[in-house]
């Protein structure tokens, strides 16, 4: 038999379900063999002393996206996916952002063109429906589904983004017809507007007031309404970026009742708190994101919700804006919190920060780390088993990870274009050394080798993404069934 293209030798292979010493044989970009003492390959990569993980799957990141307020976030597909690769993430799901009055199909074409040119890692898109008028749902959506789009995002809050309940039901109905997953930004719009107006009128303009302007009960209401509407149509949904204990509790209860709801939280809600915004001057703007950072007690509740399966994945919600007139300070040097662009960078540091917390900090260990950051998002969004695991036939998207390397995260710019990181000053243990995309090194010894355009679009079929109820879907292993943990 022809030799393997590459053998990764002597590492500890980690999947969501297992951890064992093995060599990996790679052919034509895929994992071809897993075993002890594989025959020599044309090339060899020494993994002794390293853990071999599936490349991260970040299911929620905003890349080169024009916001509803008219600001393009700081990254291009090239800079964002370079930062993803350097942090061990080999698949991203970013967004096609439709705006009110505009065409979804034209937006999709535009994002495809830019991603094809710039992406260094593989990618798929969630389609943001800001204006789900009948011709969009009836005429533009079906060809996009046939072209491999399998998930939508809707907002229940924010000017120029939010849709009313009746429109949301229209989206759910269309998603059900095509077998799509619907991801929901679930906050109460009126509460945010009402609180924001009163705070600013009384002179409370500092970034720290972003937090009370997004009442916790507003997240509870939004999640509850999102689930209730979805239940009316028996349509699966994913609640994005859950930030509060109470929000997670709503999902917990709904899943216990058998509702088809999944939940995501993000690195920042697990590892940062609202105290970050409480800095002199405008500095706290760096930590403004929506929903806002919350309290240490929320972190505990979110870790617990991940542990018991109420929430299934941890994304970055990478949404980078620079601290200048192109981004956070577009409305001047001294904006009120309401005028500051929402979002923070996180694609690169998602895996290192979570690895440190989960593996060295005792929050679930290595297999759970792989499950939450790669396997579960790949399954939920219809990318598994091609992505998100180490198994024969899977794409050879691999991270050779130095579990002991301690890195103090420097203040200042990183490979993305935000110009800062919210995690500056933190020392994390565990860092990616080599990263492979479909068997080819895109990071070697921490140096970026990947080139723009190397990333490929990952078409997904409608139907698969929508069925992982955890009970009836045969490809779900009941032993690792998220839902079963609750019952
Ligand atoms: O503040 C955030 N997270 N901005 C990104 C947009 C969103 O709703 O995810
Ligand atoms: Zn959102
Ligand atoms: Zn987001």
């Amino acid at each position: 038999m022809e030799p393997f293209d590459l053998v990764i030798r002597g590492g500890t292979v980690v999947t969501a379900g297992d951890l064992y010493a093995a060599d990996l044989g790679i052919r034509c970009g895929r994992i071809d063999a897993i075993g002890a003492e594989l025959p020599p390959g044309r090339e060899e990569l020494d993994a002794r002393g390293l853990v071999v993980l599936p490349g991260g799957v970040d299911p929620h990141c905003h890349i080169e996206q024009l916001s509803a307020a008219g600001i393009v976030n700081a990254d291009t597909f090239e800079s964002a996916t370079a930062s993803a690769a350097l942090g061990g993430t080999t698949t991203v799901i970013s967004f096609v952002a439709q705006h009110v009055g505009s065409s979804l199909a034209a937006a999709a074409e535009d994002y495809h063109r830019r991603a094809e040119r710039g992406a260094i890692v593989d990618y798929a898109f969630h389609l943001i429906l800001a204006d789900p008028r009948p011709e969009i749902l009836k005429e533009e959506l079906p060809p996009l589904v046939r072209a491999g789009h399998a998930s939508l995002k809707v907002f229940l809050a924010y000017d120029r983004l939010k849709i009313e309940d009746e429109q949301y039901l229209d989206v759910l109905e269309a998603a059900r017809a095509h077998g799509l997953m619907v991801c929901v930004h679930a906050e109460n719009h009126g509460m945010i507007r009402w609180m924001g107006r009163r705070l600013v009128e009384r002179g409370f303009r500092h970034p720290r007031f972003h937090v009370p302007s997004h009442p916790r009960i507003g997240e509870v209401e939004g999640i509850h309404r999102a689930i209730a509407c979805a239940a009316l149509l028996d349509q699966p949904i994913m609640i994005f970026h859950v930030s509060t204990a109470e929000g997670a509790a709503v999902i917990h209860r709904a899943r216990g009742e058998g509702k088809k709801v999944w939940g995501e939280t993000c690195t920042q809600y697990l590892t940062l708190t609202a105290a970050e915004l409480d800095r002199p001057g405008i500095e706290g703007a760096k930590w403004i994101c929506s929903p806002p950072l919350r309290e240490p007690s929320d972190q505990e509740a979110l870790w617990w919700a991940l542990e018991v399966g109420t929430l299934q994945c941890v994304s970055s919600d990478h949404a980078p804006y620079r601290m200048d007139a192109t981004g956070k300070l577009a409305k001047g040097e001294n904006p009120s919190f309401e005028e500051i662009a929402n979002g923070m960078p996180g694609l690169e540091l998602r895996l290192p920060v979570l690895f440190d917390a989960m593996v060295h900090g005792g929050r679930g260990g290595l297999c759970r780390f792989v499950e939450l950051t790669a396997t579960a998002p790949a399954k939920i969004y219809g990318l598994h088993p091609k992505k998100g695991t180490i198994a024969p036939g899977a794409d050879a998207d691999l991270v050779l990870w130095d579990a002991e390397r301690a890195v103090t995260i420097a203040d200042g710019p990183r490979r993305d274009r935000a110009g800062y990181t919210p995690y500056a000053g933190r020392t994390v243990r565990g860092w990616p050394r080599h990263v492979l995309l479909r068997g080819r090194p895109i990071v070697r010894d921490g140096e970026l080798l990947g080139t723009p355009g190397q990333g490929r679009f990952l078409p997904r079929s409608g139907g698969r993404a929508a069925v992982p109820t955890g009970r009836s879907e045969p490809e779900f292993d009941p032993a690792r069934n998220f839902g079963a943990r609750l019952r």
Side-chain angles (χ1 to χ4, degrees):
M1 208 209 269
E2 285 283 296
F4 296 112
D5 299 334
L6 173 68
V7 173
I8 298 175
R9 201 171 290 286
T12 301
V13 172
V14 186
T15 67
D18 229 337
L19 183 154
Y20 51 91
D23 304 334
L24 299 178
I26 292 161
R27 272 200 186 96
C28 302
R30 293 189 178 175
I31 296 165
D32 196 50
I34 304 177
E37 294 173 24
L38 292 183
R42 289 197 183 91
E43 285 184 52
E44 300 256 330
L45 199 49
D46 183 4
R48 283 173 301 170
L50 302 175
V51 287
V52 184
L53 312 173
V57 176
D58 192 333
H60 178 171
C61 40
H62 302 268
I63 302 180
E64 218 172 316
Q65 185 178 323
L66 176 66
S67 79
I71 305 177
V72 181
N73 73 35
D75 270 324
T76 59
F77 275 93
E78 179 181 346
S79 59
T81 56
S83 79
L86 288 166
T89 288
T90 50
T91 298
V92 294
I93 311 184
S94 63
F95 294 87
V96 163
Q98 183 215 19
H99 294 274
V100 175
S102 68
S103 154
L104 179 65
E109 214 174 290
D110 184 34
Y111 282 87
H112 267 293
R113 194 174 339 105
R114 285 183 281 139
E116 204 176 311
R117 197 168 50 215
I120 293 169
V121 304
D122 289 352
Y123 56 93
F125 295 109
H126 304 297
L127 307 175
I128 292 178
L129 283 168
D131 187 3
R133 50 191 197 274
E135 70 264 30
I136 299 290
L137 296 180
K138 292 203 172 69
E139 289 158 31
E140 295 201 8
L141 187 58
L144 289 167
V145 173
R146 288 196 291 277
H149 296 283
S151 49
L152 311 174
K153 180 179 183 186
V154 294
F155 288 77
L156 303 186
Y158 299 108
D159 291 329
R160 298 178 295 276
L161 281 171
K162 91 171 154 47
I163 58 173
E164 301 300 334
D165 290 352
E166 205 177 330
Q167 294 173 295
Y168 175 43
L169 289 164
D170 287 341
V171 171
L172 292 166
E173 185 185 35
R176 187 181 154 95
H178 295 293
L180 311 178
M181 178 63 94
V182 177
C183 307
V184 187
H185 184 122
E187 290 184 283
N188 180 293
H189 180 75
M191 288 187 198
I192 296 168
R193 290 280 306 212
W194 192 88
M195 289 292 288
R197 187 153 43 91
R198 267 151 192 76
L199 285 161
V200 171
E201 273 169 10
R202 286 160 178 71
F204 299 117
R205 297 166 49 84
H206 187 273
R208 72 168 73 89
F209 295 108
H210 175 69
V211 180
S213 79
H214 287 245
R216 309 169 62 87
I217 193 83
E219 182 171 89
V220 171
E221 190 282 329
I223 294 175
H224 189 273
R225 184 156 43 97
I227 294 172
C229 290
L232 181 66
L233 291 169
D234 193 33
Q235 162 61 33
I237 57 168
M238 164 63 74
I239 306 293
F240 265 175
H241 43 50
V242 177
S243 70
T244 60
E246 304 92 297
V250 177
I251 300 172
H252 186 81
R253 171 131 41 100
R255 287 176 60 81
E257 292 165 357
K259 304 249 174 29
K260 294 172 180 168
V261 55
W262 281 260
E264 164 206 91
T265 189
C266 311
T267 325
Q268 55 271 35
Y269 302 116
L270 294 166
T271 62
L272 299 169
T273 68
E276 301 287 354
L277 287 90
D278 205 9
R279 294 168 190 247
I282 201 67
E283 184 76 2
K286 291 177 179 173
W287 287 269
I288 284 189
C289 61
S290 286
L293 300 178
R294 305 288 186 181
E295 300 303 315
S297 54
D298 292 299
Q299 295 182 338
E300 287 305 317
L302 294 172
W303 282 117
W304 178 84
L306 289 166
E307 172 61 29
V308 301
T310 296
L311 306 178
Q312 302 79 34
C313 31
V314 185
S315 75
S316 67
D317 194 2
H318 179 80
Y321 294 99
R322 298 181 66 78
M323 283 290 283
D324 62 24
T326 67
K328 297 264 182 193
L329 308 183
K331 297 278 166 62
E333 293 286 309
N334 186 27
S336 77
F337 67 84
E338 282 193 307
E339 297 171 322
I340 296 168
N342 286 199
M344 60 175 74
L347 245 176
E348 179 186 353
L349 295 177
R350 180 181 72 122
L351 294 183
V353 169
L354 289 171
F355 186 95
D356 181 60
M358 294 191 71
V359 179
H360 294 300
R363 298 278 191 186
L366 260 170
C367 293
R368 285 291 286 155
F369 168 77
V370 168
E371 184 170 0
L372 297 178
T373 60
T375 315
K379 283 185 175 178
I380 289 170
Y381 293 111
L383 295 166
H384 186 269
K386 183 179 170 68
K387 302 294 188 187
T389 194
I390 296 177
D395 279 359
D397 294 354
L398 299 164
V399 189
L400 277 59
W401 192 280
D402 182 343
E404 294 305 326
R405 183 174 168 205
V407 174
T408 299
I409 297 164
D411 204 358
R414 303 191 67 81
R415 189 59 176 75
D416 65 60
R417 293 199 181 156
Y420 74 95
T421 168
Y423 303 101
R426 175 181 299 241
T427 299
V428 294
R429 193 142 58 99
W431 201 262
R433 185 180 297 175
H434 311 301
V435 183
L436 282 78
L437 177 72
R438 286 179 266 106
R440 289 171 61 186
I442 54 172
V443 172
R444 178 170 286 153
D445 287 317
E447 291 297 317
L448 185 72
L449 301 182
T451 51
Q454 185 174 352
R456 283 189 197 150
F457 174 61
L458 298 165
R460 298 171 288 147
S461 54
R464 283 203 57 211
V467 286
T469 62
R471 280 170 295 166
S472 56
E473 168 60 11
E475 74 182 26
F476 251 48
D477 173 0
R480 300 211 319 265
N481 173 327
F482 303 123
R485 292 201 179 130
L486 294 180
R487 286 180 269 272

